[in-house]
Amino acid sequence: YACRFYHQNCGASFAATGIVRRAETPQQQQKFDELLAQQALSPDMLHRHDGTQDLQIKLGGTLRPVPAIAAVTKHTKIIAGTVANLLREDGNWVARNAAGQVIARADIAILANGAKQVLGLELPPMRLLRGQLSIASNILHTLSVPVIGKTYAASLAEDQLVFGATHDLVNAVGDTNVCAEDHHRNRQGLMGVLPDLARQIDVAQLTGRTSYRAASPDLQPMAGPVADAKACAAWSKQYWGKLSSYNDAPMQPGLYMVNGLGSRGLTLAPLLAEAVILMITGGPSPLEHDAATALHPARFAARAARRNA
């Protein structure tokens, strides 16, 4: 879905190269064998790569995020400002800054706020994941097809390779400096996937980038209406065990979220955004029932209520 979306909406930023998925353990190899045997995807989409034990994901590709985001938002009205609180007033959601000035108001609001907290709302807690990627230059024979194992690697230019990334749980957003230790970890990970390329790399010459990802407590994304946490507490006490649906849970009127995408933001965002828009407009969901339930934001309010009970 993501590849189709980017190809249609920002084709200049998307390269439909395909992706090679490499097994690094016998357990991963067994998983690959089962995926092929069960035909999880059709053979023209997923097959063995050039007679190896690797998987070839034909529809995969690489995306340049900054120009892609600029392309898909070029007709969007963007209001610059920092939302300090979001409150329901007279049937609308009203966003205000720290000085109390109104930034925007609307009958429906969709939160895509990462790990930032918004006053006036009781939202699920978020995990912060710090990640650093590494960029190597002067590489001989870089990749025509990106390769993914525990570490991913892709060509940025004829002699430039990007690889990584680290994945560390932290308590707060800190500095975005790149550090030599994380470059060493990325190179070590690359040794398990592409040892010949890894041996060309001088860690002292690497550049890179550090950023922070937002993930949910159970590491599954959140896409759907935001629960009314207080009302949800009384509602969920009638259920013990895993819920098969949150459709009748008490919700905040007109409030939705797409969040907690972790390391899969650009892959999952198009599909989950489409799912939330169709929830709002009453269209058929692109998600199976079990998937929509697993991603429902109300799951955290229900679990908290059952724990407290």
Side-chain angles (χ1 to χ4, degrees):
Y1 188 98
C3 290
R4 205 161 52 234
F5 175 88
Y6 294 126
H7 178 73
Q8 292 172 354
N9 294 282
C10 48
S13 303
F14 177 68
T17 57
I19 293 174
V20 171
R21 184 72 167 86
R22 185 154 292 170
E24 297 182 66
T25 65
Q27 292 80 8
Q28 286 181 333
Q29 190 59 64
Q30 181 180 356
K31 182 178 180 180
F32 289 1
D33 293 341
E34 291 171 354
L35 286 171
L36 289 170
Q38 296 167 4
Q39 293 191 334
L41 294 173
S42 62
D44 63 325
M45 296 168 66
L46 181 71
H47 53 82
R48 294 289 186 197
H49 175 62
D50 293 342
T52 69
Q53 294 300 302
D54 301 333
L55 292 182
Q56 175 83 38
I57 306 170
K58 186 176 180 181
L59 289 183
T62 57
L63 183 76
R64 294 183 177 271
V66 173
I69 292 169
V72 299
T73 59
K74 64 183 178 182
H75 299 303
T76 303
K77 180 183 179 182
I78 297 175
I79 304 170
T82 300
V83 176
N85 63 66
L86 184 67
L87 297 172
R88 186 80 171 170
E89 299 176 12
D90 299 325
N92 284 306
W93 288 100
V94 181
R96 287 186 169 84
N97 61 20
Q101 299 169 319
V102 174
I103 298 173
R105 66 175 71 235
D107 56 342
I108 292 174
I110 303 173
L111 301 173
N113 55 307
K116 304 248 181 186
Q117 292 298 313
V118 181
L119 295 179
L121 300 175
E122 191 171 341
L123 300 174
M126 301 297 294
R127 290 186 176 199
L128 268 178
L129 303 172
R130 183 185 186 277
Q132 177 177 309
L133 58 79
S134 301
I135 300 173
S137 299
N138 301 317
I139 298 294
L140 299 176
H141 310 300
T142 51
L143 303 169
S144 58
V145 178
V147 176
I148 299 176
K150 187 176 181 181
T151 297
Y152 69 83
S155 295
L156 284 180
E158 288 186 1
D159 65 343
Q160 206 170 42
L161 187 76
V162 58
F163 61 100
T166 58
H167 194 271
D168 300 315
L169 181 64
V170 296
N171 293 323
V173 173
D175 65 66
T176 56
N177 297 326
V178 297
C179 63
E181 178 185 349
D182 287 349
H183 281 324
H184 278 287
R185 290 164 60 195
N186 284 337
R187 182 182 180 276
Q188 187 61 36
L190 190 64
M191 284 291 295
V193 182
L194 296 162
D196 290 342
L197 279 179
R199 292 187 190 100
Q200 299 183 43
I201 291 172
D202 178 2
V203 171
Q205 301 299 315
L206 291 174
T207 58
R209 180 173 62 83
T210 297
S211 58
Y212 293 82
R213 319 175 188 99
S216 71
D218 61 6
L219 302 182
Q220 297 294 330
M222 294 179 284
V226 176
D228 182 332
K230 293 179 181 177
C232 202
W235 166 84
S236 64
K237 287 177 184 177
Q238 63 187 300
Y239 299 98
W240 299 99
K242 190 174 181 180
L243 288 170
S244 60
S245 175
Y246 297 97
N247 289 337
D248 62 342
M251 302 296 170
Q252 299 268 18
L255 186 63
Y256 299 80
M257 68 170 7
V258 177
N259 207 345
L261 278 61
S263 304
R264 301 285 183 266
L266 289 166
T267 306
L268 294 176
L271 177 63
L272 299 186
E274 178 79 359
V276 169
I277 292 299
L278 289 167
M279 288 177 197
I280 294 169
T281 59
S285 176
L287 300 175
E288 296 175 349
H289 173 79
D290 288 351
T293 299
L295 303 181
H296 202 298
R299 66 188 189 270
F300 296 107
R303 291 171 190 172
R306 290 198 295 275
R307 282 197 303 270
N308 294 336

